[in-house]
Amino acid sequence: MKKIILTGDRPTGRLHLGHYVGSLKRRVELQNSGEFDKVFIMIADAQALTDNADNPEKIRQNIIEVALDYLSCGLDPAKSTIFIQSQIAELCELTFYYMNLVTVSRLQRNPTVKAEIQMRNFETSIPVGFFTYPISQASDITAFKATTVPAGEDQEPMIEQTREIVRKFNSIYGETLVEPEILLPGNSACLRLPGTDGKAKMSKSLGNCIYLSDTEEEVRKKVMGMFTDPGHIKVEDPGKIEGNTVFTYLDAFCRPEHFAGYLPDYSGLDELKDHYRRGGLGDVKVKKFLNSILQEELEPIRQRRKEFEKDIPGVYNMLKEGTETARKVAARTLDEVRSAMKINYFDDHELIASQSDRFSR
Ligand code: TRP
């Protein structure tokens, strides 16, 4: 069986370090690994509209931001098909049929949707489109017969729901769809990168993000203002590592060679942590170390972004071509779905012949 990747992001803002370690960086590696027959990367604008119906301009503005973030991280349209969800009508049609295979109570049990409903204070006024977005996400994945969905752990319930839909569809209508698997980030610190304020997640509304497109100075300021251990007041105080954002980021970004370059007095991260726990290591020193590491990672991304920003019509054209390619693939799957469901009346010559027979008797 072919190995196919599909994944994507909602264009509700520029992409940040949480996206980068949680998914983006891995995608680029997977794209370049040669292990996959196809890679589809989707800008999920239709999904973004499920809870931004009153603000289409925000989504529209952020499509190009996300596309620039993709390209500057190294996603390459020669290797990956990058496309815009809303331009593929076939996805809506698949969703309409999948809806018959999912119960309301099953959707209500989806932990990610539950958390999002709480976060947005929807309570009883949940838009139906938002409530059912896991079904639409199953269409995104199955339309491309994706085997592999690289994503963060918050997407696990969506993949599970997709697998259930696939099994149900195949058991009723015959083997048609492919069951996908999620591919989680390898490093556990990357599963969910906290915000700079120590809150559980980077989120634009909390203002605790480091964006891939932040300037060097913006990144430095955010790092120097990061949440650490509130009990670590004087340098000589013993400090905590658990829940200390600076150390969580180091777990995600620090590699052994960074010590040789920036902190040669330490053999590695364990020794740095030990020193912090014992006391005698100040936050500023650790933050400066983290800043050097992040700048090293982000500088090439910033440089590439500047280049792509010089040709915005070219970026839209890349999206248009990607969308055309993706649409053909989705249309092929939809054809298969329609014939499996026996709603392909006009293509079904046997049907027409047998009905003709029946009425001429
Ligand atoms: N739900 C994803 C997010 O919140 C975006 C998304 C839409 C997606 N469709 C997808 C991710 C299909 C993976 C596969 O960012």
Side-chain angles (χ1 to χ4, degrees):
M1 194 171 67
K2 285 202 166 158
K3 289 178 79 181
I4 299 173
I5 284 180
L6 178 121
T7 186
D9 302 278
R10 296 179 195 177
T12 53
R14 292 176 291 154
L15 300 181
H16 53 59
L17 277 184
H19 296 111
Y20 183 68
V21 292
S23 158
L24 220 43
K25 190 176 175 179
R26 185 77 172 287
R27 272 183 221 173
V28 175
E29 289 164 9
L30 294 169
Q31 164 199 269
N32 295 333
S33 72
E35 269 184 53
F36 291 87
D37 299 283
K38 287 203 176 109
V39 180
F40 295 97
I41 309 290
M42 181 181 75
I43 301 183
D45 62 334
Q47 188 177 104
L49 285 167
T50 62
D51 63 332
N52 286 283
D54 54 353
N55 202 354
E57 192 56 33
K58 171 170 117 187
I59 308 306
R60 184 182 168 86
Q61 294 297 330
N62 280 306
I63 284 178
I64 188 76
E65 295 283 357
V66 169
L68 285 166
D69 285 331
Y70 282 169
L71 294 169
S72 47
C73 284
L75 286 177
D76 175 358
K79 297 178 185 161
S80 297
T81 304
I82 305 175
F83 68 97
I84 304 181
Q85 183 186 29
S86 64
Q87 305 306 297
I88 303 194
E90 285 79 0
L91 297 177
C92 300
E93 199 171 331
L94 287 175
T95 303
F96 193 67
Y97 299 125
Y98 294 171
M99 281 186 171
N100 303 333
L101 309 177
V102 181
T103 64
V104 171
S105 68
R106 176 62 183 88
L107 281 173
Q108 279 166 335
R109 279 202 312 275
N110 185 311
T112 299
V113 176
K114 251 192 200 167
E116 285 175 319
I117 287 171
Q118 247 181 14
M119 207 167 75
R120 288 166 178 70
N121 293 321
F122 276 151
E123 283 153 18
T124 53
S125 56
I126 312 159
V128 173
F130 181 81
F131 184 59
T132 55
Y133 90 74
I135 306 178
S136 136
Q137 191 155 337
S139 304
D140 303 335
I141 296 168
T142 55
F144 300 93
K145 304 218 163 140
T147 52
T148 312
V149 181
E153 61 173 352
D154 62 326
Q155 296 303 302
E156 244 173 335
M158 307 302 157
I159 311 305
E160 193 43 46
Q161 188 125 42
T162 302
R163 293 165 63 86
E164 286 174 30
I165 291 173
V166 169
R167 287 196 288 264
K168 189 135 196 201
F169 187 100
N170 288 349
S171 77
I172 300 173
Y173 305 114
E175 277 305 307
T176 313
L177 303 173
V178 176
E179 262 188 66
E181 265 167 28
I182 192 165
L183 189 60
L184 294 168
N187 175 346
S188 67
C190 299
L191 276 177
R192 178 165 291 187
L193 198 70
T196 53
D197 57 357
K199 296 238 169 70
K201 204 177 170 178
M202 273 202 182
S203 135
K204 199 173 72 160
S205 51
L206 295 174
N208 62 3
C209 304
I210 295 177
Y211 293 101
L212 295 174
S213 49
D214 277 347
T215 63
E216 185 175 347
E217 185 50 21
E218 283 167 330
V219 173
R220 198 190 62 81
K221 273 202 193 124
K222 289 178 183 179
V223 172
M224 297 317 285
M226 251 182 188
F227 179 83
T228 57
D229 168 10
H232 186 245
I233 300 167
K234 288 191 256 103
V235 172
E236 53 281 10
D237 291 341
K240 277 206 204 79
I241 304 294
E242 294 69 37
N244 185 323
T245 318
V246 178
F247 281 98
T248 311
Y249 278 50
L250 285 175
D251 282 332
F253 288 98
C254 181
R255 292 188 301 272
E257 64 266 28
H258 290 135
F259 280 92
Y262 303 117
L263 273 187
D265 296 348
Y266 295 86
S267 63
L269 198 48
D270 287 337
E271 196 185 330
L272 191 74
K273 286 180 180 174
D274 283 343
H275 192 183
Y276 193 83
R277 281 196 198 95
R278 259 194 336 266
L281 174 57
D283 282 353
V284 171
K285 186 163 176 180
V286 190
K287 284 177 173 175
K288 281 190 171 156
F289 178 48
L290 175 63
N291 181 56
S292 305
I293 294 173
L294 291 183
Q295 300 291 358
E296 186 180 320
E297 189 94 18
L298 291 174
E299 184 53 23
I301 298 176
R302 279 195 288 257
Q303 288 307 325
R304 277 196 298 267
R305 199 181 216 269
K306 276 202 196 106
E307 287 307 306
F308 287 113
E309 284 173 357
K310 289 181 189 156
D311 183 17
I312 295 298
V315 177
Y316 276 106
N317 203 43
M318 175 282 290
L319 289 172
K320 186 171 175 220
E321 284 173 8
T323 301
E324 282 162 7
T325 305
R327 185 158 192 189
K328 285 186 196 128
V329 177
R332 222 176 300 136
T333 304
L334 181 62
D335 276 345
E336 292 172 30
V337 161
R338 285 163 156 275
S339 41
M341 293 178 69
K342 305 201 174 296
I343 53 173
N344 58 337
Y345 315 109
F346 307 132
D347 300 331
D348 190 345
H349 301 297
E350 235 170 79
L351 168 78
I352 298 169
S354 69
Q355 293 293 8
S356 162
D357 232 30
R358 189 160 76 89
F359 284 98
S360 63
R361 259 194 231 132

